[in-house]
Every structure is written in structure tokens, then in C-alpha cells.
Amino acid sequence: ETGVTQTPRHLVMGMTNKKSLKCEQHLGHNAMYWYKQSAKKPLELMFVYNFKEQTENNSVPSRFSPECPNSSHLFLHLHTLQPEDSALYLCASSQDRASGRRDTQYFGPGTRLTVL
Amino acid sequence: AQKVTQAQTEISVVEKEDVTLDCVYETRDTTYYLFWYKQPPSGELVFLIRRNSFDEQNEISGRYSWNFQKSTSSFNFTITASQVVDSAVYFCALSEASNYGQNFVFGPGTRLSVLP
């Protein structure tokens, strides 16, 4: 496998379900990101991990819980979601420098989530 | 604060026409990076180009070319002899070098439809 992979590609869940999205990068990068892309809205950055440490949480509701066990894997745990959480969830990775400058981000194919 | 504007929400062209996608940015930094990404219907954002603020040379890659003008804070993208496969949403993005934790700022995107 190369690049950034995400599973599942499609997910339908009820509001009371618990599910997890998985992202894996095979690029040797040290930073990983979760984005939310809703219809007709700009890309929204949700979380940033750098060397497995969460460096940013952009006021994301607690029903979204990220986990980064190592620099290659990133999870997004979902529970008690709302219908408005239906969106395309994109994972990205980058080789960030020690200076903190954001290097080129490479994206996975996304998980299209539908909350009923 | 950083800001990226893509004034063209949607563009339709007929195959083989040339098309230019506009991107205007705002930043207080003297060192920054500009990017273009393509998002085909499959959903994955595909990296196209990165340009740093000190390199104002225009770049050409096959049918793609980019015109970076610091004087007007623009980084426009031209597709020559467009093809149906170019149909996608195109995003311009900006990353500042100086602020640790400063992320990519994506523009709202331009949806390009190339008609046969």
C-alpha cells in the first residue's frame, strides 16, 4: 500500500451507534490530520497530531474522539453523532519540520459518513 | 490572519478550451507557501503543486500552468486544452512559515465542469 489509506470508505450509522474511522499513512510522515468536508462548506480542520501528540483541536464536539497510537495510524472514534455530522471525513499526513511549518499535506480518499 | 479567496464558485467549459482558476490570498508573513489541490468525484484531494513565496517563476507541467504574482497576491491556475477528466473541485491553500501550529488555510474551492 502506498500513500494515505482510509477505512471504511462508506459508513452509515445510527445516532446511538459507536464506530471508528481509521487512517494509515505509508509515507514516513510525522504529522496527521482529520478534516471534515460538508456539502457546500469549506474544509474544516478538526484535529492535528504531530509525533503522536495532539497539537490542535479546533473546538470539535466531544462526540468525536481522536486517537493516534503511532505516527502512521490515526483513528476517529464516533459516538452519539447527529445527522448534521454527515460529511466526508478526510485524513491527511505531512512531513512537518521542527519549525512547525506545515509541509505539503497528502490526503486519503476519505470516509463518507451518513448519520441517520 | 490568513485568508484564501476563490471567487469562482463554478466554471463550465467545453472540452479543449483553456480555463483559468483564480486564487487570491492574504497573509502578513513574508515567507509562506501556496498549494493547489484537485478533488475529483471520488473525494480524495490530490496534491498538484507547492510554491514558496520567494519563487515567483511561473511553472508549467503538461497542460497545467501556474501564475504566481506577489504584487497582486494571486496564484492562478490554468488548464490548457481541458479534458473531461479535469472535471473536479480545485482548492487553493496557503501555509505560513512563521507561526507554529498555523495550518493550511483552504479556499472554498472552484468546481470545474468540462463538457464533452
Side-chain angles (χ1 to χ4, degrees), chain A residues 9 33 35 37 43 45 48 56 88 90 99-105 107-109, chain B residues 33 35 37 39 42-45 47 50 91 95-97 100-104 106:
Chain A
R9 295 294 308 276
Y33 311 76
Y35 285 87
Q37 187 179 31
L43 277 162
L45 178 66
V48 180
E56 290 185 50
L88 180 68
L90 290 159
S99 64
R101 177 179 66 80
R102 297 297 176 197
D103 210 334
T104 303
Q105 293 184 20
F107 285 79
Chain B
Y33 301 85
F35 304 79
Y37 287 84
Q39 187 178 37
S42 60
E44 179 177 353
L45 266 77
F47 166 69
R50 182 181 78 177
F91 293 93
S95 173
E96 293 176 341
Y100 185 81
Q102 192 63 252
N103 288 289
F104 272 50
F106 282 89

Side-chain angles (χ1 to χ4, degrees), chain B residues 11-104:
Chain B
I11 301 176
S12 287
V13 299
V14 177
E15 206 170 17
K16 297 184 183 178
E17 287 184 0
D18 299 348
V19 59
T20 296
L21 310 182
D22 298 334
C23 174
V24 174
Y25 61 92
E26 293 178 26
T27 177
R28 294 180 181 177
D29 266 22
T30 56
T31 303
Y32 51 89
Y33 301 85
L34 296 163
F35 304 79
W36 275 97
Y37 287 84
K38 173 183 180 180
Q39 187 178 37
S42 60
E44 179 177 353
L45 266 77
V46 178
F47 166 69
L48 296 178
I49 189 172
R50 182 181 78 177
R51 176 53 51 84
N52 75 56
S53 52
F54 295 110
D55 181 4
E56 287 194 71
Q57 282 193 359
N58 291 331
E59 182 157 340
I60 298 174
S61 176
R63 296 184 297 107
Y64 294 170
S65 62
W66 290 269
N67 183 2
F68 176 32
Q69 296 204 354
K70 288 179 77 170
S71 59
T72 56
S73 297
S74 65
F75 187 43
N76 296 338
F77 173 30
T78 297
I79 302 175
T80 303
S82 60
Q83 300 176 2
V84 173
V85 293
D86 296 327
S87 298
V89 181
Y90 290 86
F91 293 93
C92 181
L94 166 69
S95 173
E96 293 176 341
S98 62
N99 298 326
Y100 185 81
Q102 192 63 252
N103 288 289
F104 272 50

